[in-house]
Amino acid sequence: MVCCMCSRSVQILSRQLKVSQLRVFHIIAMDTVPPAASGVRSASSFLFDKAFVDGQWVGAKSGSVYQITNPSTGKVIGSVPDMNGDDTQQAIEKANLAFLKWRDTTAKERSLILRKWFDLTIQNKLELAKLLTAENGKPLKEAIGEIGYASGFIEWYAEEARRVYGDVIPSTAASKRMLVLKQPIGVAGMITPWNFPSAMITRKACAAIAAGCAVVLKPAEDTPFSALAMCQLAKEAGLPDGVLNVVTSSRDNAPAVGNLLCTSPVIKKISFTGSTVTGKILLQQSASTVKKVSLELGGNAPFIVFNSADIEAAVQGTMVSKFRCSGQTCVCANRILVQEGVYDQYVARLAEVMNQELKVGDGFDDSTTQGPLINSKAVDKVESIVEDAKRLGARLGCGGKRSDKGVNFFEPTLLSNVTLEMRCAQEEIFGPVAAVIKFKTEEEAVAIANSSSSGLAGYFYSQNLSQIWRVAEKLEVGLCGVNDGLISAIEAPFGGVKESGLGREGSKYGIDDYLEIKYVCLGGI
Ligand code: NAP
């Protein structure tokens, strides 16, 4: 499955220029929205043009940098170092030195630092959100929501740090005591995507840091600034140098950075969020050192509406599940399956609500609900998926083409009469396209839902209690929304089955991925 075919929205600029020569930033849009209160820092004060290694702001050894553009306006926001394997190696060594001290801190010490980091993030929520909107394009309201979600993981792991319990096992011999210790796994390598530039950082890094691990993290090429801003706040909160390191790299250098993280014997754990294609590469590379690997990969969520459903609730659930981040989330409704008895009613109402509620525009415009896609290649992909559906007989309810708002915008689109051979019914669309398929029976809907190699989120709407139990149990997914389209929560385990990934993040389970279990047998008693 091809999960995301985004292209470079950044251009690799004059690689030989010194970083200092490029320290010219135009955050016009970000700073035209006034700060939340006097004394609060501006969004551009969180814009760092260096990577963060061993508590220091550093450039690439080569001096190379690359530019990041606002996907809405195409304007350059700034530049960051284009780091390679050499730079990553240095970050790994620094992280390892930091780990040797950090693992010996008490859970309470780690908890207090994370708590302070959380407080600082909340204090600067709006400014961090503006930075996020500038580099990702999502509407400011959604960006504020993401910063709330991201900081929630910092708070959660501040609390979970103190709840890592071992065990005492009833011994089989009177002279022995059998104990289980949980210890930090070591330095963790992390690679994150552009669609949640803050939350994907904290969901991983804070679990690791709470457990006593150190981190080397590579954010997506398109959205490094949110990750770097988080480093600044972590430093202010008192996180020791080297515990959190962020290595920035262009898409050209990403494979080298990723390969080093996966093959380095110093790195003991890889955590990745992104496409299934990339996840498989990293899993293979990690085999060489038998690393523990967590993968949060692509989805292809079924969204089933049964005859018994509350149609108004199902339409509202579709809106929130399908159109958040302009359809660019891994848990977006992808294959909307509607039973024949309510099909026409659902399609008509969805078209009405889409026309009423969705407004395409710049993320800093208050009325915008649909920002740009991340880059022009993403728009090309969505356009070709819609063209394929139209060619094979899908009916267009609204949208269907590029928006006149700018090169990276696509109109919210409704396709009905969708059939299973169409690309929109097979691939992760990753754009604002609702593709509605008609089905007859529950068995047919479940079979279609489970026919995908992905198994991240799945949703269904029904008011029949027996059906709710049956379908919830049968859907092959890691996350299941019943009469609800927005189900992610800090307290709940997030992760997929089948080719959607390995492991769980968030919740009481998330920290386990950064812990080793050690059995200690105490003899001679
Ligand atoms: P992607 O192309 O796989 O990129 C994700 C990250 O991997 C980026 O940092 C990227 O760097 C890096 N990368 C790409 N190729 C690499 C390689 N060969 N070696 C090492 N690193 C490499 O995915 P994306 O387009 O950013 O994100 C969209 C996908 O992520 C969708 O499929 C979505 O469903 C999935 N996703 C899943 C979850 C989840 O929790 N399950 C959450 C969010 C997104 P560059 O940016 O430099 O290319």
Side-chain angles (χ1 to χ4, degrees):
M1 186 190 62
V2 179
C3 292
C4 187
M5 308 184 62
C6 61
S7 72
R8 318 166 56 72
S9 70
V10 299
Q11 305 142 342
I12 311 300
L13 249 209
S14 45
R15 292 182 170 278
Q16 301 314 318
L17 274 180
K18 294 221 165 57
V19 174
S20 58
Q21 288 177 269
L22 284 163
R23 202 184 158 82
V24 186
F25 298 123
H26 306 283
I27 322 294
I28 297 150
M30 267 175 16
D31 284 343
T32 52
V33 181
S38 61
V40 170
R41 290 181 266 183
S42 68
S44 54
S45 71
F46 282 108
L47 193 79
F48 297 97
D49 64 348
K50 302 270 179 25
F52 188 76
V53 175
D54 199 23
Q56 312 302 314
W57 296 105
V58 299
K61 281 184 189 165
S62 66
S64 298
V65 298
Y66 70 94
Q67 286 188 325
I68 289 87
T69 55
N70 178 327
S72 173
T73 60
K75 286 188 179 146
V76 173
I77 303 171
S79 62
V80 292
D82 189 2
M83 296 181 129
N84 57 23
D86 274 358
D87 299 298
T88 309
Q89 179 58 35
Q90 193 172 8
I92 292 172
E93 286 163 16
K94 296 294 184 188
N96 197 36
L97 290 175
F99 166 65
L100 298 177
K101 292 184 185 156
W102 185 244
R103 69 177 175 186
D104 291 336
T105 53
T106 65
K108 187 167 179 184
E109 284 167 333
R110 297 195 293 275
S111 173
L112 288 173
I113 290 173
L114 284 161
R115 178 74 211 185
K116 181 90 196 298
W117 182 5
F118 162 72
D119 290 341
L120 288 169
T121 308
I122 291 296
Q123 229 169 295
N124 293 284
K125 191 173 180 177
L126 179 60
E127 320 315 313
L128 295 170
K130 290 181 205 166
L131 187 65
L132 204 163
T133 291
E135 65 176 352
N136 168 284
K138 66 176 67 175
L140 188 58
K141 269 177 272 180
E142 275 191 34
I144 292 169
E146 179 176 341
I147 299 297
Y149 187 48
S151 49
F153 286 112
I154 312 178
E155 181 188 39
W156 177 259
Y157 284 114
E159 293 159 355
E160 288 299 287
R162 300 180 66 180
R163 300 198 183 108
V164 175
Y165 301 107
D167 276 313
V168 180
I169 299 170
S171 176
T172 47
S175 62
K176 296 181 183 186
R177 297 294 179 271
M178 299 164 78
L179 314 170
V180 174
L181 308 184
K182 290 194 181 167
Q183 297 183 308
I185 192 166
V187 180
M190 302 179 173
I191 301 177
T192 52
W194 47 264
N195 60 349
F196 288 92
S198 291
M200 294 303 103
I201 309 286
T202 57
R203 192 164 76 178
K204 294 181 189 308
C206 295
I209 290 168
C213 300
V215 171
V216 178
L217 185 146
K218 189 206 90 65
E221 178 193 61
D222 299 301
T223 55
F225 291 128
S226 295
L228 295 170
M230 280 295 178
C231 292
Q232 172 64 22
L233 294 177
K235 188 178 169 76
E236 288 174 26
L239 192 70
D241 294 349
V243 174
L244 174 61
N245 306 275
V246 168
V247 172
T248 53
S249 84
S250 71
R251 199 148 291 150
D252 288 347
N253 276 331
V257 172
N259 186 57
L260 194 71
L261 291 175
C262 292
T263 55
S264 165
V266 176
I267 299 271
K268 295 295 188 292
K269 158 86 190 172
I270 289 290
S271 179
F272 170 73
T273 296
S275 65
T276 302
V277 173
T278 307
K280 287 179 180 178
I281 295 171
L282 301 179
L283 187 58
Q284 269 180 341
Q285 291 173 348
S286 297
S288 64
T289 46
V290 194
K291 277 194 198 9
K292 197 165 169 179
V293 178
S294 296
L295 300 172
E296 298 287 354
L297 307 179
N300 184 354
F303 187 104
I304 309 171
V305 183
F306 289 104
N307 282 341
S308 73
D310 173 338
I311 297 303
E312 192 54 34
V315 167
Q316 291 306 329
T318 310
M319 295 297 289
V320 69
S321 167
K322 177 73 246 181
F323 293 105
R324 206 158 47 104
C325 198
S326 300
Q328 303 171 106
T329 83
C330 52
V331 291
C332 271
N334 205 61
R335 295 167 293 155
I336 303 173
L337 303 160
V338 184
Q339 201 158 12
E340 58 185 358
V342 292
Y343 186 86
D344 291 342
Q345 185 191 351
Y346 170 88
V347 170
R349 182 63 185 143
L350 182 60
E352 202 172 50
V353 175
M354 283 175 66
N355 283 322
Q356 276 164 7
E357 293 184 6
L358 299 180
K359 178 158 179 296
V360 179
D362 185 89
F364 286 102
D365 179 339
D366 267 356
S367 61
T368 294
T369 65
Q370 300 291 285
L373 302 192
I374 191 66
N375 52 41
S376 62
K377 203 165 167 196
V379 180
D380 292 344
K381 180 193 167 191
V382 171
E383 186 180 45
S384 73
I385 284 179
V386 171
E387 287 308 315
D388 167 80
K390 279 166 36 187
R391 187 174 54 78
L392 292 173
R395 188 179 302 153
L396 200 58
C398 60
K401 59 182 194 309
R402 288 163 187 269
S403 158
D404 57 11
K405 297 285 179 189
V407 288
N408 292 337
F409 289 87
F410 199 86
E411 290 181 352
T413 297
L414 174 59
L415 296 170
S416 58
N417 283 6
V418 168
T419 52
L420 296 180
E421 76 275 17
M422 295 177 188
R423 284 178 60 199
C424 59
Q426 293 174 9
E427 295 176 26
E428 189 181 27
I429 301 169
F430 239 56
V433 178
V436 192
I437 302 161
K438 191 186 281 185
F439 70 90
K440 284 186 166 57
T441 64
E442 180 184 309
E443 293 69 27
E444 183 192 359
V446 170
I448 295 171
N450 290 344
S451 65
S452 169
S453 59
S454 302
L456 187 56
Y459 310 85
F460 66 94
Y461 278 70
S462 166
Q463 299 207 332
N464 174 333
L465 189 56
S466 309
Q467 181 171 58
I468 287 174
W469 271 113
R470 282 194 305 272
V471 177
E473 286 175 355
K474 280 190 188 142
L475 284 184
E476 296 168 358
V477 294
L479 319 163
C480 185
V482 185
N483 296 325
D484 198 347
L486 185 63
I487 59 176
S488 303
I490 289 148
E491 301 77 6
F494 191 103
V497 300
K498 302 202 279 191
E499 293 190 13
S500 286
L502 299 170
R504 292 293 179 270
E505 291 189 332
S507 75
K508 67 172 182 174
Y509 307 104
I511 202 164
D512 291 344
D513 276 1
Y514 299 93
L515 294 166
E516 285 286 20
I517 286 178
K518 183 185 281 174
Y519 162 51
V520 177
C521 182
L522 206 61
I525 290 175

